[in-house]
């Protein structure tokens, strides 16, 4: 019997996007023949998975798990290529099932999550089978498992495109929900100024100085103007500094709201589907022109 090496399994997995154990079984059945093993997998899973693996998956959903006592929660992002697939019941079930697994088994990372048991196989084999069935690339991107200091409030918005968990001490259930909704709407970068990266503040300061200089402000005033700009920026991007979206007077900040409710936010997690993923933009006219040129070249 031919020896099935790790490098052979890796090569077949990269070509087919099939689960690792399935690749090993196929290679064993094919006596180490890579081409034959690929055929075996394509018979079993279809040839869609291998083609889909190279395509950008920037759509998807945020799966949410929240324990009944509000002490543990999970946000998990699963991506697809199109919003149509993101609405598929099996795709949504995969996201929810994975979020529950994260809550109960606390995997260290996405790789560890992928290896956990699900259904008749693993999370990875379930994902790969769904890719083969639907014909679109799907990826488990990230997850956050939150153990609350106080109690968690949650909110999922826009067909599960935005997910929020917020850890609140004090207040009531309605306050926690309102805070989660506010975070989904206003998308703060951090709880307070201590969580804003210094490079972002430096950028805001440099821009403010250049704008003030170009408008003819005296050099002696530039630093003061820049500091005022930075403070305004911090109010816009920090949760405590933001004006509460449901404030009746349009002025009450989250910090003031919490003080009035004798409550405290210990932290929050915000997921926006596809955030940071470079989406492919198709130029239809260019694509048609390219196809016409290719057809002309063949004549």
């Amino acid at each position: 019997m031919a020896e099935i090496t790790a490098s052979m399994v890796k090569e077949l997995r990269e070509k087919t996007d099939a689960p690792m154990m399935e690749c090993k079984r196929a290679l064993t059945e094919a006596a180490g023949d890579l081409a034959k093993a690929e055929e075996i997998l394509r018979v079993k899973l279809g040839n869609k998975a291998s083609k889909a693996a190279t395509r950008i998956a920037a759509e998807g959903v945020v799966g949410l798990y929240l324990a009944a006592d509000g002490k543990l929660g999970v946000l998990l992002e699963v991506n697809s290529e199109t919003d149509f697939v993101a609405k598929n019941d099996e795709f949504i079930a995969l996201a929810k099932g994975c979020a529950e697994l994260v809550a109960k088994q606390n995997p260290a990372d996405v790789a560890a999550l992928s290896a956990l048991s699900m259904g008749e196989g693993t999370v990875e084999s379930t994902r790969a089978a769904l890719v083969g069935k639907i014909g679109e690339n799907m990826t488990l991107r990230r997850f956050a498992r939150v153990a609350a200091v106080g109690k968690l409030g949650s909110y999922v918005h826009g067909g599960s495109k935005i997910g929020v968990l917020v850890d609140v001490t004090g207040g009531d259930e309605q306050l926690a929900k309102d805070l989660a909704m506010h975070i989904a709407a206003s998308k703060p970068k951090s709880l307070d100024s201590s969580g804003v990266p210094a490079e972002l503040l430096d950028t805001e300061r440099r821009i403010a100085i250049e704008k003030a200089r170009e408008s003819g402000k005296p050099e002696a005033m530039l630093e003061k103007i820049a500091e005022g700009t930075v403070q305004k920026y911090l109010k816009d991007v920090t949760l405590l500094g933001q004006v509460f979206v449901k404030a009746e007077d349009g002025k009450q900040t989250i910090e003031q709201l919490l003080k009035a409710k004798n409550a405290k936010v210990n932290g929050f997690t915000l997921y926006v589907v596809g955030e940071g993923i470079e989406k492919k933009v198709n130029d239809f006219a260019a694509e048609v022109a390219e196809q016409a040129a290719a057809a002309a070249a063949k004549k």
Side-chain angles (χ1 to χ4, degrees):
M1 180 180 289
E3 181 184 0
I4 308 303
T5 65
S7 62
M8 292 168 66
V9 174
K10 181 175 183 291
E11 184 177 355
L12 183 59
R13 175 171 164 72
E14 288 175 348
K15 290 186 70 176
T16 64
D17 197 40
M20 193 170 296
M21 290 307 297
E22 292 292 342
C23 290
K24 188 174 182 180
R25 290 191 191 100
L27 281 164
T28 301
E29 185 177 338
D33 186 321
L34 190 65
K36 186 175 180 181
E38 185 176 351
E39 289 181 11
I40 291 170
L41 285 174
R42 287 182 173 175
V43 168
K44 184 174 182 180
L45 299 177
N47 63 0
K48 298 177 181 178
S50 57
K51 294 178 181 178
T54 60
R55 299 198 294 260
I56 296 172
E59 296 294 338
V61 296
V62 174
L64 169 70
Y65 173 89
L66 184 63
D69 62 1
K71 299 297 287 185
L72 178 67
V74 172
L75 288 180
L76 177 140
E77 181 180 352
V78 184
N79 298 121
S80 61
E81 292 178 54
T82 64
D83 186 51
F84 179 76
V85 167
K87 296 174 182 177
N88 178 278
D89 289 341
E90 290 181 273
F91 181 81
I92 294 170
L94 174 65
K96 290 182 178 179
C98 286
E100 187 172 341
L101 278 175
V102 170
K104 293 181 177 179
Q105 300 198 35
N106 194 20
D109 51 28
V110 170
L113 169 61
S114 297
L116 294 178
S117 296
M118 175 178 273
E120 296 180 356
T122 64
V123 169
E124 174 56 22
S125 67
T126 302
R127 182 201 69 83
L130 194 55
V131 170
K133 179 179 179 180
I134 294 178
E136 265 198 27
N137 193 18
M138 301 172 194
T139 57
L140 301 179
R141 185 185 183 195
R142 55 179 174 165
F143 63 79
R145 186 177 187 273
V146 182
V149 175
K151 193 171 182 179
L152 293 172
S154 67
Y155 182 65
V156 176
H157 178 73
S160 297
K161 299 299 182 185
I162 301 173
V164 177
L165 286 172
V166 56
D167 182 356
V168 185
T169 298
D172 54 23
E173 188 174 332
Q174 185 59 49
L175 175 64
K177 182 178 180 180
D178 284 346
L179 289 168
M181 291 177 67
H182 171 94
I183 292 167
S186 300
K187 300 178 181 61
K189 294 184 181 298
S190 67
L191 177 61
D192 55 31
S193 59
S194 67
V196 180
E199 56 266 26
L200 289 182
L201 300 182
D202 290 341
T203 298
E204 291 300 315
R205 188 173 282 107
R206 285 197 304 272
I207 292 172
I209 288 174
E210 288 306 313
K211 286 175 69 175
R213 184 176 284 136
E214 287 181 5
S215 67
K217 300 294 183 184
E219 286 291 322
M221 293 181 60
L222 297 185
E223 286 297 333
K224 185 176 181 180
I225 291 170
E227 184 57 31
T229 300
V230 167
Q231 291 305 313
K232 182 179 183 303
Y233 173 75
L234 286 172
K235 288 181 180 179
D236 289 339
V237 301
T238 59
L239 177 60
L240 296 183
Q242 290 177 340
V243 174
F244 180 38
V245 292
K246 293 175 68 175
E248 293 182 1
D249 62 359
K251 297 179 180 180
Q252 185 185 38
T253 65
I254 294 296
E255 186 172 25
Q256 292 168 339
L257 171 67
L258 291 169
K259 186 175 181 180
K261 299 288 186 177
N262 193 28
K264 174 186 177 183
V265 171
N266 302 301
F268 69 87
T269 302
L270 166 65
Y271 274 8
V272 179
V273 168
E275 186 176 33
I277 299 176
E278 185 176 349
K279 298 184 179 182
K280 182 179 179 180
V281 179
N282 293 319
D283 184 334
F284 183 70
E287 187 177 331
V288 171
E290 184 180 341
Q291 290 176 358
K298 291 179 180 179
K299 292 180 179 180

